[in-house]
Amino acid sequence: MVSIADLWVPDVWVSALREPQATYPVLFQSGVVTRSPIMDNLASGEGQSVNVPYFKDITDQSDEIQIENTAPSDQGQTGSKMVGVPLNRVSKNTSGALAAAVTGTNPLAQIISAIYMRRMKQRQSTTLAMLRGLFGSAGAANVAACMSANRYGGTTAEPFTENGLGAQSNNLFSPDLFIYAKALLGELADQLAAGAMWVHPNVLARLEQLDSLNFKSIVVPSALPFTVTTYRGVPIYTSSALYRAGTGNGFVYETYLMAQGVIGYGERAQKGDVIDVAALTYFPDRDKNNEIVWDRTRHVQHVLGTKWIGNPAGQSATNAELQTTTNWQYVFQTANRTPIVCIRTNG
């Protein structure tokens, strides 16, 4: 008699391993992004844009001398509004029953366990798209944007070159550049101690070589599985997404200095297995013997002092539309009232 064992010996498999993450949503674990009930309410409402009213600052008004029998000048209290954009997003994953049976694994469980981390990474990508739209930091040197006054070099003298392979020391990040860029925030620069220096690992490596003494051993508690070091008192968070290819060669890197709470964030409460714009839904496809999971969300991110003026091609703005400079306006009286600075260098 011929048995199965006479024909072949099955391979022995160990339980599947999850590929390690190479990137993390670190900005959402910093103090820069602040979630509030107000932003949650805005995300839960209707429409393609949300209004955030505010009173204009009167503390810089000058006083005047009193004159007998004469009314003083009325400087008033005016208001205006910021405008944010709700973002409706969805991710879909399918797991086949046959694949699970043959491999002896549970792909659906892996999908569900990774949803939150994936969502936070997606949020961080959206944050970067917004910053690039506000600062014009995905475009050419010295490009005009609504917050280009807070971009080091402004519209006349950014330090980077599009031929990064031939970059000189003045095109690269340095301690002096950090100090000068921080000064663009004026008195609000002190708020960076509870904020973030969001930087590419390559730029950080150069800074560590040049100025190692100012990387203190004091650490800042973090929700991440490691601690956060500070540079000149500012917590450091790295991201490999903070770069683009130069139009000639090499790379152009972005670094952002951001104060605590400068980005507001809110989510529409996600429901269970129902039809809603914010719902985690499940469907067993019995015909194909598959399981399908949809992660649908509606959220708002908004940078203090800005106004969305775009008109999305679809029902919600894409990251590409958020990254478009002409879709944004600045509404505060002076640029340094929004404590974010962008620095572009070649390393």
Side-chain angles (χ1 to χ4, degrees):
M1 183 184 73
V2 179
S3 66
I4 293 177
D6 294 324
L7 299 177
W8 69 83
V9 177
D11 291 334
V12 177
W13 288 67
V14 298
S15 181
L17 301 177
R18 180 185 295 176
E19 182 180 11
Q21 295 183 61
T23 60
Y24 289 87
V26 293
L27 201 63
F28 273 74
Q29 273 74 37
S30 73
V32 168
V33 180
T34 300
R35 184 167 182 173
S36 71
I38 293 176
M39 299 300 290
D40 286 341
N41 289 337
L42 292 175
S44 301
E46 297 78 22
Q48 290 188 341
S49 63
V50 292
N51 295 329
V52 186
Y54 69 95
F55 288 114
K56 291 189 175 181
D57 178 34
I58 65 169
T59 62
D60 290 327
Q61 294 176 351
S62 300
D63 57 6
E64 56 187 280
I65 62 170
Q66 297 184 30
I67 302 176
E68 185 177 11
N69 199 36
T70 301
S73 302
D74 186 358
Q75 301 186 67
Q77 171 62 82
T78 57
S80 187
K81 66 178 180 180
M82 296 178 282
V83 179
V85 52
L87 302 169
N88 305 319
R89 300 294 172 88
V90 61
S91 297
K92 175 184 175 182
N93 296 92
T94 302
S95 173
L98 188 60
V102 171
T103 62
T105 62
N106 191 346
L108 185 65
Q110 292 298 315
I111 291 168
I112 294 173
S113 67
I115 282 178
Y116 178 76
M117 181 61 73
R118 178 184 65 188
R119 191 186 303 169
M120 289 298 97
K121 287 186 178 184
Q122 292 167 344
R123 298 290 183 270
Q124 182 166 287
S125 296
T126 298
T127 303
L128 179 56
M130 293 177 66
L131 291 175
R132 286 173 168 171
L134 293 168
F135 285 96
S137 49
N142 307 319
V143 66
C146 74
M147 289 188 64
S148 52
N150 275 19
R151 193 181 63 220
Y152 185 76
T155 56
T156 58
E158 284 198 86
F160 73 91
T161 172
E162 293 288 357
N163 299 307
L165 296 181
Q168 304 298 311
S169 59
N170 61 309
N171 303 126
L172 305 176
F173 205 93
S174 68
D176 285 348
L177 196 154
F178 172 89
I179 293 169
Y180 295 141
K182 181 180 175 182
L184 290 176
L185 298 179
E187 296 176 26
L188 296 183
D190 293 339
Q191 297 181 12
L192 292 175
M197 177 181 180
W198 201 24
V199 60
H200 192 281
N202 291 353
V203 177
L204 181 62
R206 171 178 167 78
L207 198 56
E208 288 175 321
Q209 288 181 318
L210 295 176
D211 197 20
S212 61
L213 294 179
N214 277 300
F215 288 84
K216 301 300 182 181
S217 58
I218 300 173
V219 293
V220 178
S222 169
L224 295 170
F226 48 84
T227 54
V228 178
T229 307
T230 63
Y231 176 68
R232 294 180 180 264
V234 182
I236 299 168
Y237 298 88
T238 59
S239 173
S240 298
L242 296 172
Y243 83 101
R244 66 166 174 82
T247 57
N249 54 57
F251 301 101
V252 178
Y253 297 97
E254 303 154 62
T255 301
Y256 296 92
L257 304 180
M258 297 181 278
Q260 183 179 30
V262 72
I263 300 175
Y265 172 73
E267 287 262 4
R268 181 186 176 103
Q270 193 176 47
K271 299 180 181 179
D273 199 12
V274 298
I275 302 302
D276 192 87
V277 70
L280 186 62
T281 54
Y282 168 83
F283 177 74
D285 186 340
R286 292 175 174 83
D287 189 30
K288 295 181 180 179
N289 209 21
N290 293 335
E291 296 177 287
I292 309 172
V293 175
W294 291 267
D295 181 28
R296 288 187 168 90
T297 61
R298 178 176 170 88
H299 79 281
V300 172
Q301 294 186 46
H302 189 71
V303 175
L304 190 68
T306 64
K307 180 179 182 180
W308 167 259
I309 58 172
N311 185 22
Q315 282 91 29
S316 183
T318 65
N319 281 1
E321 289 170 325
L322 294 175
Q323 191 170 295
T324 302
T325 58
T326 53
N327 284 336
W328 295 98
Q329 283 184 354
Y330 190 72
V331 295
F332 281 179
Q333 297 171 69
T334 54
N336 62 1
R337 294 171 189 268
T338 299
I340 307 180
V341 167
C342 174
I343 310 118
R344 293 198 286 176
T345 60
N346 296 109

